[in-house]
Amino acid sequence: MSEATLPKAMLERIEDFGGAAQPLLKVVGLTKHFPVRGGLLSKARTVRAVDNVSFEIAKGETVGIVGESGCGKSTTARLLMHLMTRDAGEILYDGMQVGRALSLRELRRGMQMVFQDSYASLNPRLTIEESIAFGPKVHGMDDAPARKLARELLDKVGLRPETFANRYPHEISGGQRQRVNIARALALSPRLVILDEAVSALDKSVEAQVLNLLADLKSEFGLTYLFISHDLNVVRYISDRVLVMYLGEVVELGPVDQVWDAPAHPYTRALLAAMPAADPDNRTETPPITGDPPNPIDPPPGCRFHTRCASAEPMCSAASPTLTDLDGAGHQAACYMAIPGSGHSRASAAEKAA
Amino acid sequence: MTKLVEVENLNVRFTGERTVHAINGVSFSLGEGEVLGLLGESGSGKSVTLRALMRLLPKKRTVINGSIRVAGRDVLALDDDELSMFRGATVSMIFQEPALALDPVYTIGQQISEAVIRHEGKSQREATARALEMLEVVRIPSAKRRLDAYPHEMSGGMRQRAMIALALACKPKILLADEPTTALDATVQIQILLLLRELQREFGMSVIFVTHDIGVAIEICDRVAVMYAGQIVETGTLRQIVRSPLHPYPRGLLASTTHGAKRGQRLETIPGTPPSLDKAPTGCSFAPRCALAEARCTEALPPAIDVGDGRMARCVLAERIQPASV
């Protein structure tokens, strides 16, 4: 990146190094703990925001992360973007380690993020065109081509450049602002886009428009998405694979249809059962679980879900189950009930599974 | 059937730097023990309608026309004293964000007992007993201890339960709910919805429930009024609206859902965005986004067509429907 200081008319495309078999992003043992200072007499405590999270995202794939507030899904996104430092774990982008084979600057070109709050994530003093052109200019592009690129991208996200380019963020609607944020993320031609609740603040009819746009852009630019959301219907619609997080840990992951149709972890089951009904004659009668998600400060020992789980047994609070493969096709769950021969009364006997 | 709430041709306009025609000719009624859903997207006027019912809109900047009758009283004619007796005793409201709606410097017990003392003239001891009873009604665990808790000491779901307890403390006839589950996590949202459904039956109260989420409406409403650009475009029973909407807007809204949509398949969308409300509508507000719009849609306001069974659609297409066939 030494020649990055020279103004350029175009940014070079980021090369594919590892080939199709190499995951675009590989995360191993990602961990982030926040210390909470104790009071005069109470001892310091820890928020285990993200705890030993590992997953891969293949090239061209869309991976969803679901979970409730405090489960660590947004912290995971920020760690991947290197917006905060991690305590432990490895993040490999196309097989390269950030800080070694890949500079942070290059990573930011290869990986971009769209946030939930479309207004807070745009500079109110810059016009939309300036906001989109800002990133490419930082990366060494000339002003004129950067502005031209911004206008092209506005067109791509369905906003007429002649109408919108010179407006300020407060002059456009939430759906339009989110399109601007998507355009800005694409301005550096990244290969991975992290969408952190990017459609959650939008009205339903606008949400559908933006989801269609995301699908179009994905095929046009060959993008890979990490799609973080609490809306299970949207995640099922957009994702190929999904991670279910609870209190900083991945409790289940796998192809979205397998996880949705045959959830193996009781938390995933509860989350799916908590979706409001779609049929007026088939309303939900009993809540799937009671109580609020516990505070991620000093989470319960063992399986973190055992305090709300109807099938919890003494072993569940003693040690935490590890993610275990269920079908040989990538569906994994961290629950003793799903692990054959684990000793849980509802687990199948050993030797049965692969 | 006596109507508890009758709203006739309500218009709300906000004045100031720019004028916003927030509500344009809204009429609806609410029966005893009924749950009416106001369904719409942001800016459709559902919350403004709700606030107008309790006169919570800023006095200086709001022009309200039309008539609002609640439990036989003309709400727009109430003076300040009458209004403060009316709020909380006849009608009370729960909000989206309990952390903002509750007073941070008083305990939950103090806030509930204050309302009971103010409205029913009870002693402090009786009022505290009622507060405890209410916390048990909304199923807050270890209610006695929670009486002395401040709002910030509770989780989001607990706070929402506490706000419901406060709203119901004086046994109002009508509960107005402004997206009370939107800020909650999925597993908590369903608990609060089921709690509200149960309390509504138990107390026999009427509820107006504002939401943007059709799934939430399905869980709780008997009847639904769909709002768009400050107007009610369609009213009907929940089943009618969900299964066979007449107006193109609810039809598009239901079709654009990601629920059950196949991956890789394009979602149905409603093109465009809602209109700005700086002018009062002179034609159908939805016409610019409507695939079925005709010339007459933009020439005059579409009539509110009664298609029978208490069902109404504000669309020229509904003219073709014979009231008897519905």
Side-chain angles (χ1 to χ4, degrees):
Chain A
M1 290 301 293
S2 52
E3 75 273 55
T5 42
L6 291 170
K8 280 179 287 190
M10 254 189 79
L11 295 180
E12 288 161 47
R13 228 192 117 59
I14 305 153
E15 301 260 337
D16 185 11
F17 282 96
Q22 170 111 285
L24 184 56
L25 192 74
K26 187 177 162 121
V27 178
V28 185
L30 192 64
T31 301
K32 179 74 185 174
H33 293 174
F34 296 105
V36 180
R37 213 180 316 156
L40 190 62
L41 297 170
S42 55
K43 61 178 194 298
R45 298 184 299 175
T46 325
V47 180
R48 294 168 172 267
V50 174
D51 227 358
N52 197 15
V53 166
S54 304
F55 62 95
E56 288 177 4
I57 304 176
K59 285 166 185 165
E61 194 181 32
T62 299
V63 173
I65 302 186
V66 295
E68 298 177 282
S69 52
C71 75
K73 51 192 197 302
S74 288
T75 306
T76 303
R78 284 171 163 74
L79 289 171
L80 296 181
M81 280 301 291
H82 291 70
L83 291 174
M84 50 174 72
T85 54
R86 55 188 185 274
D87 295 338
E90 262 185 84
I91 300 170
L92 295 171
Y93 179 89
D94 203 3
M96 293 174 289
Q97 205 169 11
V98 180
R100 304 244 170 93
L102 189 74
S103 73
L104 185 57
R105 209 179 154 86
E106 286 167 320
L107 175 85
R108 293 268 164 81
R109 269 193 59 200
M111 197 197 283
Q112 280 286 307
M113 184 160 167
V114 178
F115 299 85
Q116 176 172 9
D117 189 335
S118 64
Y119 190 67
S121 44
L122 287 171
N123 186 337
R125 290 174 173 226
L126 296 185
T127 64
I128 283 155
E129 182 187 278
E130 287 164 345
S131 269
I132 299 172
F134 196 87
K137 278 158 75 177
V138 167
H139 282 267
M141 208 161 164
D142 276 336
D143 184 68
R147 283 177 188 266
K148 186 165 161 277
L149 175 69
R151 283 170 179 261
E152 280 167 18
L153 285 166
L154 275 177
D155 198 45
K156 286 265 190 283
V157 297
L159 300 173
R160 282 215 317 279
E162 54 273 34
T163 321
F164 288 97
N166 293 318
R167 293 207 193 169
Y168 287 91
H170 71 269
E171 296 176 312
I172 58 176
S173 73
Q176 290 164 345
R177 268 201 300 271
Q178 206 55 297
R179 287 167 186 266
V180 171
N181 279 310
I182 292 168
R184 180 181 60 173
L186 296 180
L188 295 169
S189 25
R191 298 171 63 200
L192 176 65
V193 180
I194 300 176
L195 300 147
D196 187 4
E197 302 272 9
V199 298
S200 306
L202 304 177
D203 280 321
K204 286 290 158 204
S205 68
V206 181
E207 179 187 89
Q209 293 173 10
V210 175
L211 288 173
N212 279 342
L213 171 71
L214 288 173
D216 292 344
L217 295 172
K218 185 178 175 189
S219 55
E220 183 171 350
F221 295 106
L223 298 172
T224 301
Y225 288 148
L226 178 63
F227 191 92
I228 299 173
S229 179
H230 66 277
D231 187 328
L232 302 176
N233 285 326
V234 173
V235 169
R236 177 166 205 173
Y237 170 71
I238 203 164
S239 309
D240 301 310
R241 285 193 309 126
V242 66
L243 272 72
V244 183
M245 289 187 71
Y246 185 75
L247 289 184
E249 291 181 330
V250 176
V251 295
E252 185 159 0
L253 78 108
V256 71
D257 288 335
Q258 265 93 307
V259 175
W260 258 229
D261 295 336
H265 197 283
Y267 177 65
T268 314
R269 281 201 285 274
L271 209 53
L272 289 166
M275 280 199 281
D279 178 3
D281 292 322
N282 206 357
R283 286 178 167 179
T284 312
E285 287 309 326
T286 43
I289 38 175
T290 53
D292 288 14
N295 199 324
I297 300 177
D298 293 338
C303 169
R304 291 184 183 175
F305 187 62
H306 81 262
T307 52
R308 295 171 87 196
C309 181
S311 322
E313 294 186 0
M315 65 180 300
C316 297
S317 53
S320 43
T322 49
L323 271 175
T324 306
D325 201 89
L326 302 176
D327 58 359
H331 187 180
Q332 303 180 13
C335 175
Y336 286 126
M337 288 190 283
I339 301 172
S342 65
H344 193 286
S345 64
R346 294 223 200 162
S348 57
E351 249 69 72
K352 204 181 141 206
Chain B
M1 192 158 105
T2 52
K3 294 293 182 196
L4 215 45
V5 177
E6 276 182 286
V7 175
E8 280 294 328
N9 199 21
L10 179 70
N11 286 282
V12 177
R13 201 171 75 232
F14 295 116
T15 54
E17 265 180 57
R18 57 190 196 109
T19 305
V20 178
H21 294 262
I23 305 287
N24 304 297
V26 160
S27 305
F28 67 91
S29 61
L30 176 72
E32 201 104 33
E34 186 178 46
V35 183
L36 171 71
L38 290 183
L39 183 70
E41 300 181 89
S42 49
S44 62
K46 48 196 196 315
S47 292
V48 176
T49 306
L50 212 59
R51 273 150 216 254
L53 284 176
M54 243 169 123
R55 293 255 311 269
L56 286 174
L57 298 165
K59 233 192 239 168
K60 280 184 185 152
R61 290 191 289 111
T62 317
V63 182
I64 305 181
N65 292 312
S67 104
I68 302 175
R69 296 189 71 81
V70 175
R73 305 181 74 178
D74 182 356
V75 174
L76 297 180
L78 296 177
D79 64 30
D80 285 357
D81 287 345
E82 289 168 332
L83 202 54
S84 61
M85 282 314 289
F86 167 77
R87 292 176 183 158
T90 310
V91 182
S92 70
M93 189 150 166
I94 54 176
F95 300 87
Q96 180 172 345
E97 202 34 88
L100 299 176
L102 294 168
D103 194 324
V105 298
Y106 291 98
T107 64
I108 297 299
Q110 284 167 335
Q111 293 185 51
I112 298 177
S113 55
E114 183 195 358
V116 175
I117 294 167
R118 170 74 178 75
H119 282 289
E120 298 183 6
K122 295 268 162 74
S123 68
Q124 179 67 53
R125 181 207 286 258
E126 286 169 315
T128 307
R130 170 78 67 80
L132 179 63
E133 182 197 324
M134 290 315 297
L135 292 191
E136 279 163 358
V137 163
V138 297
R139 260 163 260 135
I140 289 183
S142 47
K144 195 154 190 145
R145 203 159 47 81
R146 290 293 183 180
L147 276 178
D148 298 322
Y150 289 91
H152 75 268
E153 296 175 306
M154 304 174 115
S155 66
M158 279 306 141
R159 272 203 292 266
Q160 198 57 273
R161 285 172 195 266
M163 184 159 71
I164 295 169
L166 172 58
L168 300 185
C170 298
K171 310 268 186 296
K173 290 197 179 76
I174 304 160
L175 178 70
L176 306 179
D178 191 358
E179 306 238 14
T181 63
T182 305
L184 301 174
D185 276 320
T187 58
V188 181
Q189 161 168 291
I190 196 77
Q191 296 173 38
I192 299 291
L193 282 176
L194 295 181
L195 174 71
L196 280 171
R197 207 158 81 193
E198 213 179 297
L199 294 177
Q200 184 267 330
R201 282 186 203 140
E202 204 173 294
F203 287 45
M205 59 186 173
S206 305
V207 178
I208 302 182
F209 197 101
V210 161
T211 182
H212 69 279
D213 186 337
I214 184 84
V216 168
I218 287 171
E219 289 288 1
I220 196 152
C221 300
D222 303 323
R223 255 183 346 120
V224 174
V226 182
M227 294 195 73
Y228 184 78
Q231 291 173 318
I232 293 179
V233 294
E234 183 166 354
T235 347
T237 63
L238 175 68
R239 281 180 188 79
Q240 288 168 342
I241 299 282
V242 173
R243 301 241 165 94
S244 54
L246 298 172
H247 192 284
Y249 173 66
R251 266 198 247 166
L253 205 56
L254 282 155
S256 69
T257 176
T258 43
H259 182 89
K262 276 256 161 34
R263 205 163 317 117
Q265 211 168 62
R266 293 188 73 75
L267 294 168
E268 301 252 347
T269 61
I270 307 175
T273 45
S276 77
L277 298 167
D278 46 10
K279 283 198 272 314
T282 53
C284 173
S285 303
F286 188 64
R289 299 175 75 185
C290 182
L292 305 165
E294 303 167 13
R296 58 180 172 153
C297 295
T298 47
E299 283 158 9
L301 279 177
I305 295 169
D306 185 351
V307 288
D309 271 354
R311 192 167 187 196
M312 181 282 284
R314 200 176 266 279
C315 178
V316 293
L317 293 175
E319 278 169 4
R320 287 182 213 143
I321 295 166
Q322 295 297 312
S325 70
V326 178

